[in-house]
Amino acid sequence: MFAFADAVHAFNPLYSVSGFVVGALVGFTGVGGGSLMTPILVLLFGIAPTTAVGTDLLYAAITKSNGTLVHALNGTVDWRITRRLATGSIPATIATLLTLSWLGHKATHAANGLITSALGFALLLTAVAILFRRVILDYISRHLDNLSETRVCWLTITLGVFLGVLVSISSVGAGALGMTILLALYPRTQTVRLVGSDIAHAVPLTFVAGFGHWLLGGVDWLLLFSLLVGSLPGIAIGSHLAARVPDHFLRPVLATMMAAVGVKLSI
């Protein structure tokens, strides 16, 4: 009873408001929530980077589980691609978490510094992937044309390793970065199936990474609940109104914001 009363007293409605805004933007643009939520938690609310990343990872696992279910029921998940990504990302995630655990025992400041730098780097990469996706795809397609199935398989696993490390440290990167490379590696696969595969892969990735951060003491459950209270209706409303928002305007604005935040975190 006292624990519940303390939780209600500690509840900060601004977290839910932030969750609603981020959820709406994700619904509008499809840009990953980690690219927006983690910087807000760190820069606006002053939450420790380790806690912000760990909480956001479990937040992503919960919200993307629903998206995976919808895609699976619609038959828009290529489980072969999802398995390839997970083959690389899950071992890389575990190795990264063990490294963070070692750093945490050595010095919490070192772990927070690594996460902050990685977050800035990931935001910059995400901004580039959003702004220059077409240019990147054209460049990659010219250099990866007519790849054998075996080469595509190993490149997908390598992509999974990269995402496992980056997402475990920063909670950013699985959406815009992963999709850009998948579009180049699988040009003959329907985009909706690539999106479904990417979301399906994000669930085990963020769950394992989030669970690891919880074991390291980097998850705030009240914060997680507060974010979900706002984000779930925000995503629903944003998705419903997405057709009325000029995508060619909103995406560059978001990418520019991410780049600015990424620079601030990196310096």
Side-chain angles (χ1 to χ4, degrees):
M1 181 67 180
F2 288 107
F4 177 77
D6 291 340
V8 172
H9 180 72
F11 181 83
N12 187 343
L14 290 179
Y15 294 152
S16 297
V17 172
S18 299
F20 178 84
V21 172
V22 170
L25 289 173
V26 171
F28 281 139
T29 66
V31 175
S35 305
L36 303 168
M37 183 63 75
T38 306
I40 288 176
L41 295 177
V42 173
L43 295 178
L44 292 187
F45 294 108
I47 293 174
T50 50
T51 302
V53 169
T55 303
D56 186 59
L57 284 167
L58 286 181
Y59 160 82
I62 294 171
T63 55
K64 291 188 177 184
S65 294
N66 180 58
T68 298
L69 178 61
V70 173
H71 277 283
L73 291 175
N74 290 333
T76 53
V77 176
D78 189 326
W79 296 106
R80 175 195 50 156
I81 296 176
T82 300
R83 284 194 298 271
R84 290 175 177 178
L85 289 170
T87 298
S89 67
I90 301 304
T93 296
I94 294 172
T96 304
L97 290 169
L98 290 174
T99 302
L100 288 176
S101 176
W102 179 81
L103 283 175
H105 286 304
K106 292 293 182 180
T108 303
H109 179 72
N112 279 327
L114 174 62
I115 289 176
T116 301
S117 298
L119 178 57
F121 174 71
L123 287 172
L124 289 172
L125 283 182
T126 302
V128 170
I130 293 173
L131 287 173
F132 303 105
R133 171 173 286 189
R134 179 48 52 192
V135 175
I136 295 171
L137 287 176
D138 290 342
Y139 177 82
I140 294 177
S141 63
R142 288 197 302 269
H143 291 78
L144 297 182
D145 193 25
N146 297 322
L147 283 177
S148 67
E149 181 65 17
T150 301
R151 289 286 300 279
V152 171
C153 175
W154 281 108
L155 286 172
T156 307
I157 293 173
T158 303
L159 172 62
V161 172
F162 174 73
L163 293 178
V165 174
L166 193 62
V167 171
S168 297
I169 296 177
S170 68
S171 79
V172 177
L177 291 176
M179 270 303 300
T180 299
I181 305 301
L182 288 178
L183 285 167
L185 290 176
Y186 300 90
R188 296 177 183 84
T189 302
Q190 286 182 304
T191 300
V192 66
R193 287 180 63 81
L194 292 179
V195 171
S197 305
D198 183 59
I199 292 175
H201 164 248
V203 174
L205 170 58
T206 54
F207 177 79
V208 171
F211 182 75
H213 277 272
W214 172 56
L215 292 179
L216 297 176
V219 174
D220 185 326
W221 293 101
L222 180 59
L223 172 61
L224 174 61
F225 173 76
S226 302
L227 296 177
L228 289 171
V229 166
S231 67
L232 293 179
I235 290 174
I237 294 173
S239 300
H240 180 69
L241 300 177
R244 305 179 187 180
V245 179
D247 184 69
H248 66 276
F249 167 76
L250 196 53
R251 278 180 174 266
V253 170
L254 285 173
T256 302
M257 290 171 54
M258 288 179 196
V261 173
V263 171
K264 179 175 178 59
L265 290 170
S266 300
I267 59 176

